[in-house]
Amino acid sequence: MKVSLLGVEFNSPNRGCGALAYSICQILRKMSREKKENLSVVAVLFDVTPIPEGILDDVKIKYIKNQPKKLSFWKLCYKEFKSSDVVLDFSMGDSFADIYGKKRFLLASMLKKLAMMSGTKFVMAPQTIGPFSNKMMSRVAKHILKKCDLCFVRDSLSEEYTYKLCGRRPLLTTDVAFELSYKKDAFERSDKRRIGFNPSGLLWTGTKDFVASKHLIVDYREYVRRVFEVWSQEEVELYLIPHVFTQNGGGMEDDLRACKEIQEMFPKTKIVSEYATPMDAKGFIATLDVFVGARMHATVGAFSSGVATIPFSYSRKFEGLFYDLEYPYLVEATTINTEEAVERTLQWVKEYVKLRDQVVVSTKLLSKKQVVFYDSLFDVIKD
């Protein structure tokens, strides 16, 4: 059983992309065992550093470095796609949209088109679709969505958007990262509430293609300052948990850089960044009482480990995913002001037991959504 993967990264500074990569490999391994076949994976990656030993040792993984300026890269991709049973494309979860700029979208779209040209079944794996305000990008997206063999979306907002864009009704499931395995860290429990906070470097600093003030009503830096001013006066344990970062804290949208700047203002906080894989990060997050996060896959990790979770939403991908699970505790930064965002966060952190109970209820909806993806993909590979 051979599967080619696009739009994921095992070793990306973005642990969300890593969560997608590891999760889908775990799902594919389950399928291969059910089919009683060995699993071979070809992954097109920007970082081809081998994954740590002891994680997917029974899966044969071939890494292809993403080098779009080289003709040999495109030839190799075509060869591997053609010999695969299926090509799965995740678009990094939310990059099949124009929110991050043309360059990222067009490169990913060229790989999608190449996969379809190979004649192998091409599947748009569970992800957010759109929105597109750029007409050219919208036309490219419409073509790909109409021509792919199977299209999954991870939320009902993307389902409706896809239908309106191209007339195709995609299969509604949920994010595969909910299935990411983990082992809860051992820790010594105190009487203090354990609050985890994932600041987004994207919102904290911004990039050339993303300026927070153009997308949010909430002043993100002011929001962070005000919630930490309150928490710093309380008897709580405060943890800053980066999700997109390098250990040197470099880069415009690096969460660790934001964590260090927040810690300078609030020395009571502790930064937790020494983890090798997304599974390790999830293992620590699972020890918390409540988690507030602006990186979606950080909140997915918290939610799926049973922690009271407060997503800070800067795009509709949050609302689509969590509202489909009947989970209402989102700070919707595109529709409310800073004062409201601060009040909701502080109140919900106090009520974390109520949120945790709702996580349990909402989690029961996950299995029905997850089986849609598993069964449909299994049938495609079987054919």
Side-chain angles (χ1 to χ4, degrees):
M1 178 174 145
K2 181 177 177 179
V3 179
S4 287
L5 295 179
L6 296 175
V8 297
E9 291 285 333
F10 289 99
N11 298 300
S12 169
N14 189 328
R15 273 58 178 180
C17 297
L20 289 174
Y22 284 108
S23 296
I24 188 57
C25 283
Q26 290 166 2
I27 292 169
L28 292 172
R29 181 170 57 186
K30 180 181 176 182
M31 287 185 183
S32 68
R33 289 172 177 172
E34 191 173 343
K35 290 166 63 66
K36 298 181 180 178
E37 297 178 5
N38 293 325
L39 174 60
S40 174
V41 170
V42 177
V44 180
L45 310 166
F46 285 100
D47 186 337
V48 294
T49 306
I51 64 176
E53 295 182 1
I55 299 177
L56 293 169
D57 290 347
D58 57 338
V59 179
K60 181 181 178 182
I61 303 178
K62 180 175 181 176
Y63 307 99
I64 299 178
K65 186 170 180 59
N66 200 323
Q67 298 176 297
K69 294 182 179 181
K70 294 185 176 182
L71 180 60
S72 57
F73 163 73
W74 297 99
K75 288 182 176 179
L76 179 57
C77 285
Y78 182 81
K79 178 183 176 182
E80 295 295 345
F81 295 163
K82 195 169 184 64
S83 62
S84 297
D85 294 303
V86 66
V87 180
L88 288 176
D89 191 322
F90 284 88
S91 305
M92 304 299 183
D94 69 342
S95 291
F96 202 59
D98 57 16
I99 188 173
Y100 300 118
K102 290 182 182 179
K103 185 177 179 180
R104 183 190 296 194
F105 173 80
L106 291 176
L107 172 57
S109 295
M110 289 171 67
L111 281 166
K112 290 171 171 62
K113 295 267 287 183
L114 185 68
M116 291 190 287
M117 289 169 58
S118 73
T120 295
K121 291 178 180 177
F122 175 70
V123 175
M124 291 287 284
Q127 59 191 274
T128 299
I129 302 293
F132 294 97
S133 56
N134 181 284
K135 290 183 179 179
M136 179 275 293
M137 295 165 74
S138 179
R139 287 196 299 269
V140 172
K142 181 178 178 179
H143 173 76
I144 291 170
L145 292 169
K146 289 182 73 172
K147 295 296 183 180
C148 65
D149 291 281
L150 205 58
C151 180
F152 293 95
V153 291
R154 61 187 182 185
D155 63 81
S156 55
L157 293 176
S158 292
E159 179 190 25
E160 288 303 317
Y161 186 86
T162 302
Y163 180 69
K164 290 179 181 178
L165 180 65
C166 70
R168 178 177 189 166
R169 182 69 67 178
L171 294 172
L172 177 60
T173 176
T174 191
D175 198 297
V176 298
F178 280 113
E179 298 193 48
L180 185 68
S181 62
Y182 71 101
K183 291 183 180 179
K184 186 174 181 179
D185 287 1
F187 72 104
E188 191 171 326
R189 180 85 235 190
S190 72
D191 293 333
K192 297 180 180 179
R193 188 186 321 146
R194 292 168 61 88
I195 302 174
F197 190 90
N198 158 235
S200 167
L202 180 68
L203 304 182
W204 186 259
T205 306
T207 67
K208 179 180 67 174
D209 295 318
F210 186 97
V211 179
S213 60
K214 293 183 179 180
H215 298 271
L216 308 184
I217 296 175
V218 173
D219 181 327
Y220 187 66
R221 283 178 174 253
E222 177 68 8
Y223 162 79
V224 173
R225 183 185 65 79
R226 289 177 61 182
V227 294
F228 273 93
E229 280 181 345
V230 174
W231 290 336
S232 294
Q233 303 303 314
E234 297 178 348
E235 289 297 312
V236 297
E237 295 177 12
L238 292 171
Y239 298 95
L240 292 164
I241 306 169
H243 205 66
V244 177
F245 69 99
T246 55
Q247 286 299 337
N248 64 9
M252 288 292 288
E253 66 168 287
D254 195 296
D255 296 355
L256 184 55
R257 179 179 174 182
C259 287
K260 290 177 178 179
E261 292 183 17
I262 295 168
Q263 189 180 54
E264 287 181 5
M265 293 185 284
F266 303 100
K268 182 179 178 179
T269 58
K270 298 177 183 178
I271 297 175
V272 180
S273 64
E274 298 297 328
Y275 43 83
T277 69
M279 293 80 79
D280 297 332
K282 188 172 181 177
F284 176 80
I285 290 172
T287 69
L288 302 170
D289 292 310
V290 60
F291 181 83
V292 183
R295 297 291 191 178
M296 195 175 79
H297 279 110
T299 62
V300 166
F303 188 93
S304 57
S305 57
V307 174
T309 305
I310 304 172
F312 182 95
S313 169
Y314 66 90
S315 92
R316 67 173 173 81
K317 64 181 179 179
F318 287 87
E319 284 87 351
L321 189 72
F322 285 101
Y323 285 166
D324 276 5
L325 297 175
E326 299 180 9
Y327 189 78
Y329 300 105
L330 278 67
V331 177
E332 299 171 278
T334 60
T335 59
I336 63 174
N337 62 32
T338 306
E339 182 70 30
E340 291 173 295
V342 171
E343 288 179 359
R344 289 186 189 186
T345 301
L346 294 175
Q347 185 61 36
W348 288 341
V349 166
K350 290 179 181 178
E351 299 174 351
Y352 77 90
V353 174
K354 180 175 72 174
L355 272 67
R356 187 174 60 198
D357 290 343
Q358 183 58 45
V359 168
V360 174
V361 174
S362 296
T363 299
K364 295 177 182 178
L365 299 174
L366 274 173
S367 59
K368 291 182 179 179
K369 293 180 176 296
Q370 289 167 329
V371 78
V372 171
F373 175 62
Y374 188 92
D375 288 352
S376 299
L377 182 59
F378 189 89
D379 289 342
V380 165
I381 296 175
K382 184 175 62 178
D383 294 341

